[in-house]
Amino acid sequence: MTEVNDLAFGQPAEGKLVENLRKNPKFIHELSLVAEADGKIVGHVLFFPIKIKPAEGKEKETISLAPVAVLPEFQRQGIGGELIREGLKACEKIGYDSVIVLGHPEYYPKFGFEPAEKWRITDPFGAPSEAFMAVELKEGSLEGSGGVAEYPDEFLEV
Ligand SMILES: CC(C)(COP(=O)(O)OP(=O)(O)OC[C@H]1O[C@@H](n2cnc3c(N)ncnc32)[C@H](O)[C@@H]1OP(=O)(O)O)[C@@H](O)C(=O)NCCC(=O)NCCS
């Protein structure tokens, strides 16, 4: 898994992030999905629990999609899309009603993601606002849940 991330991103940060998150007690095994071809792992996606903290009131539990990676020679064959769609289903199955992603603004809308600012959800990384996106797995689940998304420290270390 680390190798897939290293090769897809061309740098060690995301692979290291996956390694570190796997050691976190909140890691959910069913939400680390791999794609296999030719008897080897060619793709990987991880979802990790996060919170949305409003200025006041109750926190909202949600989950972040990050990272997703497909080996360069296996890209553009639908593997990334399949991992994401299966992953979203797995998140719903274990009870999550929304997912957040920081990523390519041209890629994620095809899976239903929209800019998170629609729900007044802001990211702690200062990324361009169109790159910070969310999707409701249950209609209306993000209504009134504006606030800052709070990620575990592992994300801030990379
Ligand atoms: C992003 C990634 C996971 C997509 O995996 P994939 O298996 O190639 O994706 P799919 O085959 O399901 O989808 C490919 C489609 O998405 C589009 N796409 C892929 N990467 C894209 C990007 N960075 N921005 C916009 N569109 C992108 C392609 O144009 C392609 O569309 P087309 O088939 O109509 O030409 C893969 O390219 C990857 O590992 N990239 C490097 C790591 C990375 O950037 N991860 C995402 C971080 S947010």
Side-chain angles (χ1 to χ4, degrees):
M1 261 166 268
T2 309
E3 199 187 331
V4 170
N5 282 280
D6 289 351
L7 293 170
F9 285 96
Q11 58 176 36
E14 287 76 10
K16 187 83 192 130
L17 172 63
V18 171
E19 271 178 32
N20 291 343
L21 287 174
R22 287 177 71 84
K23 292 182 211 146
N24 186 312
K26 296 213 169 90
F27 173 76
I28 302 170
H29 204 265
E30 302 92 299
L31 297 183
S32 172
L33 279 70
V34 295
E36 287 182 14
D38 305 340
K40 64 172 179 174
I41 293 176
V42 299
H44 174 245
V45 65
L46 180 68
F47 295 81
F48 202 89
I50 60 168
K51 289 182 174 140
I52 302 167
K53 278 201 152 170
E56 50 188 63
K58 203 167 166 284
E59 291 174 352
K60 159 102 184 143
E61 305 275 342
T62 183
I63 194 149
S64 80
L65 186 178
V68 54
V70 173
L71 285 182
E73 62 272 33
F74 286 88
Q75 288 176 9
R76 306 192 87 130
Q77 297 172 27
I79 296 172
E82 202 174 329
L83 281 170
I84 292 170
R85 274 186 286 270
E86 286 304 313
L88 293 177
K89 274 192 233 164
C91 289
E92 195 175 358
K93 198 169 159 200
I94 67 166
Y96 285 93
D97 60 16
S98 60
V99 180
I100 291 202
V101 69
L102 174 60
H104 307 298
E106 308 84 14
Y107 187 58
Y108 293 96
K110 63 175 105 180
F111 309 106
F113 285 88
E114 297 177 76
E117 64 186 11
K118 172 176 171 178
W119 297 279
R120 299 177 193 277
I121 303 166
T122 53
D123 86 291
F125 308 111
S129 62
E130 68 275 16
F132 194 64
M133 294 165 272
V135 63
E136 292 180 334
L137 301 177
K138 198 170 130 209
E139 209 181 321
S141 60
L142 288 174
E143 291 304 326
S145 54
V148 184
E150 194 180 74
Y151 284 73
D153 288 346
E154 288 85 341
F155 281 89
L156 310 171
E157 288 160 7
V158 293

Coordinates of all heavy atoms in Angstrom, one line a residue, residues 4-5 8-9 44 67-72 74-82 84-85 101-108 110-111, ligand 1:
V4 N 2.3 1.7 -3.5 CA 1.3 2.3 -4.4 C 1.2 3.8 -4.3 O 1.3 4.5 -5.3 CB -0.1 1.6 -4.2 CG1 -1.1 2.3 -5.1 CG2 -0.1 0.2 -4.6
N5 N 1.2 4.2 -3.0 CA 1.1 5.7 -2.8 C 2.4 6.4 -3.2 O 2.3 7.4 -3.8 CB 0.7 5.9 -1.3 CG -0.7 5.7 -1.0 OD1 -1.6 6.5 -1.3 ND2 -1.0 4.5 -0.5
A8 N 2.4 6.5 -7.0 CA 1.3 7.3 -7.6 C 1.6 8.8 -7.4 O 1.4 9.6 -8.3 CB 0.0 6.9 -7.1
F9 N 2.0 9.1 -6.2 CA 2.2 10.5 -5.9 C 3.6 11.0 -6.2 O 3.9 12.2 -6.3 CB 1.9 10.8 -4.4 CG 0.5 10.8 -4.0 CD1 -0.2 9.6 -3.6 CD2 -0.3 11.9 -4.2 CE1 -1.5 9.7 -3.2 CE2 -1.6 12.0 -3.9 CZ -2.3 10.8 -3.4
H44 N -5.2 1.9 -4.1 CA -5.6 1.9 -2.6 C -6.4 3.2 -2.3 O -6.1 4.3 -2.9 CB -4.3 1.9 -1.8 CG -4.6 2.0 -0.3 ND1 -4.1 3.1 0.4 CD2 -5.2 1.3 0.5 CE1 -4.5 3.0 1.7 NE2 -5.2 1.9 1.8
P67 N -5.6 9.1 1.5 CA -5.4 9.4 0.1 C -6.0 8.3 -0.8 O -6.4 7.2 -0.3 CB -3.9 9.4 -0.1 CG -3.4 8.5 1.0 CD -4.4 8.4 2.1
V68 N -6.1 8.6 -2.1 CA -6.4 7.6 -3.1 C -5.3 7.5 -4.1 O -4.8 8.6 -4.5 CB -7.8 7.8 -3.8 CG1 -8.0 9.2 -4.4 CG2 -8.1 6.7 -4.8
A69 N -4.9 6.4 -4.5 CA -3.7 6.2 -5.4 C -3.9 5.0 -6.3 O -4.3 4.0 -5.8 CB -2.5 6.1 -4.5
V70 N -3.5 5.2 -7.5 CA -3.4 4.1 -8.5 C -2.1 4.1 -9.1 O -1.6 5.2 -9.5 CB -4.6 4.2 -9.5 CG1 -4.4 3.1 -10.6 CG2 -5.9 4.1 -8.8
L71 N -1.4 2.9 -9.2 CA -0.1 2.9 -9.9 C -0.2 3.6 -11.3 O -1.1 3.3 -12.0 CB 0.3 1.4 -10.1 CG 0.8 0.7 -8.9 CD1 1.3 -0.7 -9.3 CD2 2.0 1.4 -8.2
P72 N 0.8 4.4 -11.6 CA 0.8 5.1 -12.9 C 0.4 4.3 -14.1 O -0.5 4.7 -14.9 CB 2.2 5.7 -13.0 CG 2.7 5.8 -11.6 CD 2.0 4.7 -10.8
F74 N -1.5 1.8 -14.3 CA -2.9 1.3 -14.2 C -3.9 2.4 -14.1 O -5.1 2.2 -14.0 CB -3.0 0.4 -13.0 CG -2.4 -1.0 -13.2 CD1 -1.0 -1.1 -12.8 CD2 -3.1 -2.0 -13.7 CE1 -0.4 -2.4 -13.0 CE2 -2.5 -3.3 -13.9 CZ -1.1 -3.4 -13.5
Q75 N -3.4 3.7 -14.3 CA -4.4 4.8 -14.2 C -5.2 4.9 -15.5 O -4.9 4.3 -16.5 CB -3.6 6.1 -14.0 CG -3.0 6.2 -12.6 CD -2.2 7.4 -12.3 OE1 -2.1 8.3 -13.1 NE2 -1.5 7.4 -11.2
R76 N -6.3 5.6 -15.4 CA -7.2 5.8 -16.5 C -7.9 4.6 -17.0 O -8.1 4.4 -18.2 CB -6.6 6.6 -17.6 CG -5.9 7.9 -17.1 CD -5.5 8.7 -18.3 NE -6.7 9.6 -18.7 CZ -6.6 10.9 -18.8 NH1 -5.5 11.5 -18.7 NH2 -7.7 11.6 -19.2
Q77 N -8.1 3.6 -16.1 CA -8.8 2.4 -16.5 C -10.0 2.2 -15.6 O -10.5 1.1 -15.5 CB -7.8 1.2 -16.3 CG -6.6 1.2 -17.2 CD -5.6 0.1 -16.9 OE1 -6.0 -1.0 -16.4 NE2 -4.3 0.3 -17.2
G78 N -10.3 3.2 -14.9 CA -11.5 3.1 -14.0 C -11.2 2.6 -12.6 O -12.2 2.4 -11.8
I79 N -10.0 2.3 -12.3 CA -9.7 1.7 -11.0 C -9.9 2.7 -9.8 O -10.6 2.4 -8.8 CB -8.2 1.1 -10.9 CG1 -8.1 0.0 -12.0 CG2 -7.9 0.6 -9.5 CD1 -6.7 -0.5 -12.2
G80 N -9.4 3.9 -10.0 CA -9.6 4.9 -9.0 C -11.1 5.2 -8.7 O -11.6 5.2 -7.6
G81 N -11.9 5.3 -9.8 CA -13.3 5.5 -9.7 C -14.0 4.3 -9.0 O -14.8 4.6 -8.1
E82 N -13.6 3.1 -9.3 CA -14.2 2.0 -8.6 C -13.9 2.0 -7.1 O -14.7 1.7 -6.3 CB -13.7 0.7 -9.3 CG -14.7 -0.5 -9.0 CD -14.2 -1.7 -9.8 OE1 -13.7 -1.6 -10.9 OE2 -14.5 -2.8 -9.3
I84 N -13.2 4.5 -5.3 CA -14.0 5.6 -4.6 C -15.4 5.2 -4.4 O -16.0 5.3 -3.3 CB -13.8 6.9 -5.4 CG1 -12.4 7.4 -5.2 CG2 -14.8 8.0 -4.8 CD1 -12.0 8.6 -6.1
R85 N -16.1 4.7 -5.5 CA -17.5 4.3 -5.4 C -17.7 3.2 -4.3 O -18.6 3.3 -3.5 CB -18.0 3.9 -6.7 CG -18.5 5.1 -7.6 CD -19.2 4.6 -8.9 NE -18.2 4.2 -9.8 CZ -17.6 5.0 -10.7 NH1 -17.9 6.3 -10.8 NH2 -16.6 4.5 -11.5
V101 N -13.5 15.5 1.2 CA -12.2 15.2 0.5 C -11.5 16.6 0.2 O -12.2 17.6 -0.1 CB -12.4 14.4 -0.8 CG1 -13.2 15.2 -1.9 CG2 -11.1 13.9 -1.4
L102 N -10.2 16.5 0.2 CA -9.4 17.6 -0.3 C -8.7 17.1 -1.5 O -7.8 16.2 -1.3 CB -8.4 18.0 0.8 CG -7.4 19.1 0.4 CD1 -8.1 20.4 0.0 CD2 -6.4 19.4 1.6
G103 N -9.0 17.6 -2.6 CA -8.4 17.0 -3.8 C -8.7 17.7 -5.1 O -9.3 18.8 -5.1
H104 N -8.4 17.0 -6.2 CA -8.6 17.6 -7.5 C -10.1 18.0 -7.8 O -11.0 17.2 -7.8 CB -8.2 16.7 -8.6 CG -6.8 16.1 -8.5 ND1 -5.7 16.9 -8.5 CD2 -6.4 14.8 -8.3 CE1 -4.6 16.1 -8.3 NE2 -5.0 14.9 -8.2
P105 N -10.3 19.3 -7.9 CA -11.7 19.8 -8.1 C -12.4 19.3 -9.4 O -13.6 19.3 -9.5 CB -11.6 21.3 -8.1 CG -10.2 21.7 -8.0 CD -9.4 20.5 -7.9
E106 N -11.6 18.8 -10.4 CA -12.2 18.3 -11.6 C -12.5 16.8 -11.5 O -13.3 16.3 -12.3 CB -11.2 18.4 -12.8 CG -10.6 19.8 -13.0 CD -9.4 20.1 -12.1 OE1 -8.9 19.1 -11.6 OE2 -9.0 21.2 -12.0
Y107 N -11.9 16.1 -10.5 CA -12.1 14.7 -10.4 C -13.3 14.3 -9.5 O -14.1 13.4 -9.9 CB -10.8 14.1 -9.9 CG -10.8 12.6 -9.9 CD1 -10.9 11.9 -11.1 CD2 -10.6 11.8 -8.7 CE1 -10.9 10.5 -11.1 CE2 -10.5 10.5 -8.7 CZ -10.7 9.8 -9.9 OH -10.6 8.4 -9.9
Y108 N -13.4 14.8 -8.3 CA -14.4 14.3 -7.4 C -15.8 14.6 -7.7 O -16.7 13.9 -7.2 CB -13.9 14.7 -6.0 CG -12.7 14.1 -5.6 CD1 -11.4 14.7 -5.7 CD2 -12.7 12.7 -5.1 CE1 -10.2 14.1 -5.4 CE2 -11.5 12.1 -4.8 CZ -10.3 12.8 -4.9 OH -9.1 12.1 -4.6
K110 N -17.5 14.0 -10.1 CA -18.2 12.8 -10.8 C -18.7 11.8 -9.8 O -19.4 10.9 -10.1 CB -17.3 12.2 -11.9 CG -16.0 11.6 -11.5 CD -15.3 11.0 -12.7 CE -14.2 11.8 -13.2 NZ -13.5 11.2 -14.3
F111 N -18.2 11.9 -8.5 CA -18.7 11.0 -7.5 C -19.7 11.7 -6.6 O -20.1 11.2 -5.5 CB -17.6 10.4 -6.7 CG -16.5 9.8 -7.5 CD1 -15.3 10.5 -7.7 CD2 -16.7 8.7 -8.2 CE1 -14.3 10.0 -8.6 CE2 -15.7 8.1 -9.1 CZ -14.5 8.8 -9.2
Ligands
LIG1 C1 -6.4 10.3 -9.1 C2 -6.2 8.8 -9.4 C3 -6.4 8.1 -8.1 C4 -7.3 8.4 -10.4 O1 -7.2 7.0 -10.6 P1 -7.6 6.4 -12.0 O2 -7.7 4.9 -11.8 O3 -6.7 6.9 -13.1 O4 -9.0 7.0 -12.2 P2 -10.2 6.5 -13.2 O5 -9.6 5.7 -14.3 O6 -11.3 6.0 -12.4 O7 -10.6 7.9 -13.8 C5 -9.9 8.5 -14.7 C6 -10.5 9.7 -15.1 O8 -10.3 10.7 -14.2 C7 -9.7 11.8 -14.7 N1 -8.6 12.2 -13.8 C8 -7.6 11.4 -13.3 N2 -6.8 12.2 -12.5 C9 -7.4 13.4 -12.6 C10 -7.0 14.7 -12.0 N3 -5.9 14.8 -11.3 N4 -7.7 15.7 -12.3 C11 -8.8 15.6 -13.1 N5 -9.2 14.5 -13.7 C12 -8.5 13.4 -13.4 C13 -9.0 11.3 -16.0 O9 -9.0 12.4 -16.9 C14 -10.0 10.2 -16.4 O10 -11.0 10.7 -17.2 P3 -11.2 10.1 -18.6 O11 -11.2 8.6 -18.5 O12 -12.6 10.7 -19.0 O13 -10.1 10.6 -19.4 C15 -4.9 8.5 -10.0 O14 -4.7 9.3 -11.2 C16 -3.7 8.8 -9.1 O15 -3.3 7.9 -8.3 N6 -3.1 10.0 -9.2 C17 -1.9 10.3 -8.4 C18 -2.3 10.5 -7.0 C19 -3.4 11.5 -6.8 O16 -3.3 12.6 -7.3 N7 -4.4 11.1 -5.9 C20 -5.5 11.9 -5.7 C21 -5.2 13.0 -4.7 S1 -6.6 14.1 -4.5

